[in-house]
Amino acid sequence: MSAAPWHKASPALLWTALAASATAVAVNLPLAYIFVRAADAGWSRYAQIVFSQQTVALLTRTLMLVGGVLGLAVPLAVALAWLVTRTDLPGRRVWAVLASLPLVLPSYVAAFAWVSIWGPKGFVQKALAPHGIDALPSWAYGYSGAWLVLALFTYPYVYLLVVAGLCNVDPATEEAARSLGRRPWAVFATVVLPQLKPALYSGSLLIALYTLSDFGAVSIVRYNTFTLSIYNAYRGLFDRTVAASLATVLVLLTVGLIIVETRLSANLRSSRTRPSRPPEQVPLGRWRLPATLAVLLLAAVNLLAPLAVVVHWAVKALRLGNPLGAAGEATLRSLGVAALAAVAAVVLSLPASIWAMRHGGRLARLALGMTYSGYALPGLVIALSLVFFATRLAPPLYQTVWLLLVAYVVRFLPEAVSATRASLRALAPVFEEAARSLGGGSWTVLRTVTLPLIRPGLLAGAGLVFLTTMKELPATLILRPTGFETLATRVWTAASEGIYSQAALPALVLVGASAIPVYFLIVRPVLSERPR
């Protein structure tokens, strides 16, 4: 769509463009400021920190974790997606839903449950002690703990995309390959897998960015990565140049991963039309029972057992008389800031989306693209950039809820923009043009036609922002005012100190609050496309 000349633009368009540009600049300004803060001490000091042996070792540890998590999560996700979409696995509808539900567990809740089960004084150790097994291998902590927790609880990012991808693979291409004498594994490797590359690349990028930015899980299982080192440097050292410098490395790592994924995806052809018929189910034969036991074991390890542990500690906390009031207060604060962030993100998503989708042009696309920058960066980096920005340029905002809200909006604005943009794309402009032909002004058309028709999309975007804000941890830890506790901070603080009974109740509330939106906004839309 070509943009109208500026001198012919209506006042409504000018105000929309102005609001969109201001939003795009505002969400990127603090991020740019972190580089300014890192450069304050001079290039020699910056180079001394960034190229030190400690930073290189930290980079190696972080990349090893990212690689290990991808190495386990991606094959696991592909195997599960194939089982629930292409085979006669018993109860595959139930397994299809259960396999995606680890998304409801924030990484720090998963890590807390993991340590509680497999740790040195965990449930498994206590159960085996009467049988003479006094100590388990220390795989609950360190690299093995971080690797398993992050892989087992992030694979749904690839799983859901691969399920959707398998639904769009035309079975005729597989049948043609089989008619040429290729064996089933060869057909999958040479015909199906190449068509899943877009899903695999996008899902792998999501897992890699999640692992790179995770703070809650690695801190509880005590595996030092960039995020944990940045947090410790920020909290423990008077000179915050170290934290700022390490944060710039994390930003560059994140940008590097996005560039790699973009280049890998650049030459992929977009999927053609949907297949005219569903694929035939592959009979598992003698592998039916082992496959069923495998998915059952996975569901027990990464969903049922963690939920059982959380419920166990919650019941124990109630019996011990742990105060519900503290958890209730944290719940109200979490709900309050999440609701405010959701409303603010949806409102701010409108100018950039309307400008890009209804008027077009390079500037509109640039403004829209800039609103996505916060989502690509770890919450810890966004929080640090806001701390440096506020302490220098806006001191009254420091240590206030408003600065925390700014961080949430910067971090999760892309979720609202994506939902608003998709709704506007689905809405034919003919409705707005008809309203204008009847004499309606731009603001009247927006208020009476556009907004009511895209309301479901706006609500979905608000729901996503609300959900992710409820679970957000590192930015909340750094930016919250003194004494301001949310569910996420209560879970992390208690679990880090090993007081599981105090972590359980807020964790249970978080999981309950996450389950319904995750199912209806993420899981159900994808699985509804799956062949019955």
Side-chain angles (χ1 to χ4, degrees):
M1 183 181 293
S2 60
W6 285 107
H7 64 279
K8 294 183 179 179
S10 65
L13 173 58
L14 290 175
W15 279 110
T16 303
L18 184 62
S21 303
T23 303
V25 171
V27 298
N28 283 275
L29 195 58
L31 299 176
Y33 190 73
I34 199 165
F35 285 89
V36 176
R37 177 63 181 83
D40 265 0
W43 166 251
S44 59
R45 171 71 170 144
Y46 179 76
Q48 181 186 10
I49 296 169
V50 169
F51 298 111
S52 67
Q53 288 185 355
Q54 292 86 348
T55 304
V56 173
L58 200 57
L59 179 64
T60 305
R61 292 166 64 87
T62 303
L63 292 180
M64 279 177 56
L65 183 61
V66 172
V69 169
L70 285 174
L72 177 59
V74 173
L76 184 63
V78 173
L80 276 171
W82 182 76
L83 281 172
V84 301
T85 57
R86 291 301 186 88
T87 72
D88 60 348
L89 182 76
R92 57 186 179 281
R93 292 183 185 180
V94 175
W95 299 125
V97 175
L98 291 180
S100 55
L101 286 185
L103 280 179
V104 306
L105 293 166
S107 67
Y108 45 89
V109 175
F112 141 57
W114 178 265
V115 170
S116 186
I117 295 172
W118 301 102
K121 297 180 181 178
F123 291 106
V124 174
Q125 175 64 70
K126 289 178 181 175
L128 294 177
H131 303 286
I133 301 177
D134 297 325
L136 289 173
S138 58
W139 56 310
Y141 289 97
Y143 178 84
S144 55
W147 169 56
L148 288 169
V149 167
L150 289 171
L152 291 176
F153 291 89
T154 59
Y155 77 81
Y157 289 111
V158 171
Y159 164 78
L160 288 169
L161 293 177
V162 172
V163 166
L166 283 171
C167 295
N168 290 323
V169 174
D170 192 339
T173 59
E174 300 169 61
E175 292 164 5
R178 281 197 291 270
S179 70
L180 295 174
R182 292 190 187 179
R183 300 182 64 81
W185 282 111
V187 172
F188 183 79
T190 59
V191 177
V192 178
L193 210 51
Q195 297 184 63
L196 297 178
K197 280 184 179 178
L200 291 173
Y201 290 161
S202 300
S204 298
L205 177 64
L206 289 176
I207 291 179
L209 292 179
Y210 190 101
T211 305
L212 204 60
S213 64
D214 179 75
F215 170 76
V218 296
S219 59
I220 290 177
V221 301
R222 301 169 194 168
Y223 182 73
N224 196 19
T225 61
F226 259 102
T227 52
L228 189 54
S229 291
I230 292 170
Y231 180 79
N232 290 334
Y234 173 76
R235 289 294 188 198
L237 299 175
F238 179 75
D239 181 8
R240 291 175 175 171
T241 303
V242 175
S245 301
L246 292 178
T248 62
V249 178
L250 192 55
V251 170
L252 295 177
L253 264 180
T254 303
V255 173
L257 284 174
I258 294 172
I259 291 174
V260 168
E261 193 273 342
T262 303
R263 291 200 170 185
L264 287 174
S265 303
N267 296 324
L268 296 178
R269 293 180 181 177
S270 59
S271 181
R272 21 151 241 97
T273 58
R274 288 181 61 81
S276 56
R277 56 187 171 82
E280 294 181 4
Q281 289 184 356
V282 178
L284 290 173
R286 60 194 174 92
W287 291 103
R288 214 170 180 222
L289 179 61
T292 306
L293 292 176
V295 293
L296 174 63
L297 178 64
L298 181 65
V301 169
N302 70 353
L303 184 65
L304 303 178
L307 289 178
V309 166
V310 173
V311 171
H312 166 82
W313 283 111
V315 172
K316 194 169 184 177
L318 292 176
R319 288 178 177 171
L320 290 172
N322 275 4
L324 274 172
E329 191 177 349
T331 303
L332 290 177
R333 284 174 174 167
S334 294
L335 291 173
V337 292
L340 287 173
V343 172
V346 168
V347 171
L348 291 175
S349 74
L350 285 168
S353 303
I354 292 173
W355 189 22
M357 300 305 298
R358 288 296 183 260
H359 303 283
R362 288 184 180 178
L363 281 177
R365 289 195 295 273
L366 176 63
L368 187 71
M370 288 175 68
T371 61
Y372 280 84
S373 62
Y375 205 46
L377 297 173
L380 189 68
V381 172
I382 293 173
L384 276 182
S385 66
L386 286 172
V387 167
F388 297 140
F389 183 80
T391 51
R392 291 282 184 89
L393 302 177
L397 276 179
Y398 185 60
Q399 285 273 301
T400 66
V401 175
W402 303 113
L403 192 61
L404 186 60
L405 277 174
V406 171
Y408 291 151
V409 172
V410 171
R411 182 85 170 89
F412 302 123
L413 178 62
E415 295 175 351
V417 170
S418 294
T420 305
R421 186 181 169 196
S423 301
L424 285 168
R425 181 182 286 130
L427 177 64
V430 65
F431 295 104
E432 293 150 304
E433 292 167 1
R436 277 193 286 271
S437 69
L438 295 174
S442 298
W443 300 117
T444 304
V445 172
L446 174 67
R447 181 172 52 83
T448 59
V449 177
T450 308
L451 291 181
L453 290 176
I454 66 172
R455 185 169 53 193
L458 298 181
L459 291 174
L464 280 175
V465 176
F466 181 86
L467 168 67
T468 45
T469 302
M470 285 274 290
K471 298 193 294 184
E472 207 288 332
L473 175 64
T476 312
L477 279 174
I478 288 182
L479 293 173
R480 62 179 170 157
T482 303
F484 188 89
E485 291 279 1
T486 65
L487 291 170
T489 60
R490 283 192 65 82
V491 173
W492 181 82
T493 304
S496 300
E497 296 172 357
I499 313 173
Y500 300 140
S501 59
Q502 291 188 12
L505 281 173
L508 199 59
V509 175
L510 260 183
V511 171
S514 303
I516 295 175
V518 163
Y519 178 75
F520 283 101
L521 294 176
I522 300 173
V523 176
R524 191 181 178 190
V526 174
L527 297 185
S528 62
E529 301 293 326
R530 188 178 54 88
R532 302 288 177 182

